[in-house]
């Protein structure tokens, strides 16, 4: 039997971190070796398994960084990502980043870190979302020259607690679609007042925040006389946790570099 992959979860007390801990505890190919939070977190010292609603794992929530992890999975906040990057580089630990809302400077630090460690970074760890992104690109490419023109709008729905808008996933959809539309694509966020006629080279974004929605994205491809709506929706957060764990397994034997979920899915 092969040795289990040792993983650590950064942001382990959050909604997503707890689900990563829970699913990892059920996977014999994985061994949870650390569950990390910031040094002021009120739940420090509590067992990660108890927090995740599974059996006690004898892994205390801690601000200390492990030195024996093979891969760190980060589901934290932008204000915590700098320390995570620094520690992973210091310990030469592979890193899966699912945190969204990072600044340009943080993205640059992440890219610099990928020169010394392997990193998977994606705005969504969902396998279905990433497959849908490829479909969105293919649809755009095939309809570029459709008679009457093509209009593309992105509608995303998330829970009331989400702090950034539009979602990182919606922005990624837009960036991938824009690659097919061309360099003059405009990204328009919401509409209000007398905006005038819709231009032909724009992508519209609309963010909805309701209840406990774990994430839903609808890409509307509008033409004269017909439309396509590509919808991908999560029914629970487990799809993101499962995707992050799949990324960790895939990343474990990769050389330094920046990867994404398309690489994980070999698309």
């Amino acid at each position: 039997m092969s040795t289990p992959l040792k993983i650590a979860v950064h942001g382990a007390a959050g909604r997503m971190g707890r689900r990563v801990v829970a699913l990892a505890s059920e996977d014999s190919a994985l061994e949870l070796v650390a569950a990390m939070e910031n040094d002021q977190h009120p739940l420090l010292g509590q067992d990660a398994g108890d927090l995740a609603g599974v059996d006690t794992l004898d892994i205390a929530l801690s601000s200390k960084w492990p030195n024996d992890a093979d891969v760190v999975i980060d589901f934290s906040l932008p204000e915590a990502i700098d320390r995570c990057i620094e520690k992973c580089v210091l310990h030469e630990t592979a890193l899966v980043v699912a945190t969204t809302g990072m600044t340009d400077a943080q993205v640059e630090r992440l890219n610099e870190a990928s020169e010394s460690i392997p990193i998977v970074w994606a705005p969504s760890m969902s396998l279905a979302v990433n497959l849908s992104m490829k479909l969105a690109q293919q649809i755009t490419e095939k309809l570029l020259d459709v008679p009457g023109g093509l209009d593309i709008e992105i509608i995303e729905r998330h829970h009331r607690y989400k702090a950034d808008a539009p979602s990182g996933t919606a922005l990624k959809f837009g960036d991938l679609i824009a690659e097919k539309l061309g360099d003059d694509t405009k990204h328009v966020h919401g509409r209000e007042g007398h905006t005038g006629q819709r231009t032909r080279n724009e992508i519209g974004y609309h963010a909805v925040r309701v209840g406990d929605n774990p994430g839903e994205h609808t890409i509307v491809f509008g033409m004269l006389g017909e439309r396509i709506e590509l919808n991908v929706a999560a029914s629970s957060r487990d799809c993101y946790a499962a995707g992050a764990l799949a990324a960790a397994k895939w990343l474990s034997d990769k050389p330094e570099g920046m990867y994404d979920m398309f690489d994980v899915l070999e698309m």
Side-chain angles (χ1 to χ4, degrees):
M1 181 179 293
S2 60
T3 303
L5 182 70
K6 296 181 178 180
I7 67 164
V9 180
H10 183 233
R15 288 184 294 270
M16 279 309 313
R18 295 185 193 209
R19 292 313 300 159
V20 174
V21 168
L23 295 189
S25 71
E26 300 168 357
D27 191 333
S28 61
L30 301 171
E31 178 187 355
L32 182 72
V33 296
M36 296 95 76
E37 276 291 353
N38 69 80
D39 57 9
Q40 300 298 316
H41 201 284
L43 297 178
L44 290 182
Q46 294 198 29
D47 186 82
D50 294 343
L51 289 173
V54 295
D55 293 339
T56 299
L57 299 175
D58 294 325
I59 300 290
L61 189 69
S62 174
S63 62
K64 295 182 179 179
W65 208 263
N67 55 19
D68 58 344
D70 297 314
V71 184
V72 169
I73 297 176
D74 172 72
F75 268 107
S76 61
L77 297 169
E79 50 266 35
I81 192 66
D82 291 325
R83 178 173 180 263
C84 179
I85 296 170
E86 178 186 347
K87 292 293 187 180
C88 284
V89 170
L90 178 64
H91 293 284
E92 299 182 339
T93 309
L95 173 61
V96 175
V97 178
T99 293
T100 61
M102 288 187 286
T103 65
D104 291 343
Q106 289 174 321
V107 171
E108 180 60 29
R109 280 192 283 276
L110 194 64
N111 282 314
E112 290 174 358
S114 71
E115 296 175 5
S116 57
I117 61 172
I119 297 173
V120 166
W121 174 40
S124 176
M125 290 288 146
S126 161
L127 304 183
V129 163
N130 284 278
L131 287 167
S132 297
M133 286 176 175
K134 274 296 184 185
L135 286 174
Q137 282 194 307
Q138 292 172 348
I139 292 170
T140 303
E141 191 171 32
K142 295 301 182 182
L143 296 178
L144 272 178
D145 300 318
V146 67
L150 175 65
D151 303 325
I152 301 176
E153 302 277 311
I154 300 173
I155 305 163
E156 58 99 343
R157 299 173 176 88
H158 281 86
H159 52 84
R160 65 178 63 157
Y161 308 105
K162 186 168 179 59
D164 57 314
S167 69
T169 299
L171 295 173
K172 184 66 173 180
F173 265 111
D175 287 343
L176 291 170
I177 290 169
E179 288 179 8
K180 301 301 181 180
L181 291 178
D183 294 337
D184 61 345
T185 303
K186 294 193 300 185
H187 300 267
V188 178
H189 298 277
R191 295 185 180 87
E192 183 180 8
H194 187 72
T195 61
Q197 181 174 308
R198 188 190 198 280
T199 61
R200 293 287 295 275
N201 63 335
E202 68 183 56
I203 300 173
Y205 298 82
H206 311 276
V208 179
R209 297 291 175 264
V210 288
D212 60 354
N213 192 324
E216 180 177 357
H217 293 80
T218 301
I219 318 303
V220 183
F221 300 88
M223 297 154 281
L224 297 182
E226 60 184 343
R227 74 175 183 272
I228 297 171
E229 293 193 10
L230 177 60
N231 177 266
V232 57
S235 56
S236 81
R237 292 183 175 84
D238 283 8
C239 64
Y240 308 120
L245 292 172
K249 292 176 181 178
W250 180 88
L251 189 64
S252 62
D253 62 351
K254 298 299 182 290
E256 66 275 5
M258 182 65 75
Y259 304 95
D260 58 23
M261 289 301 286
F262 289 172
D263 295 311
V264 175
L265 290 167
E266 298 182 352
M267 292 193 300

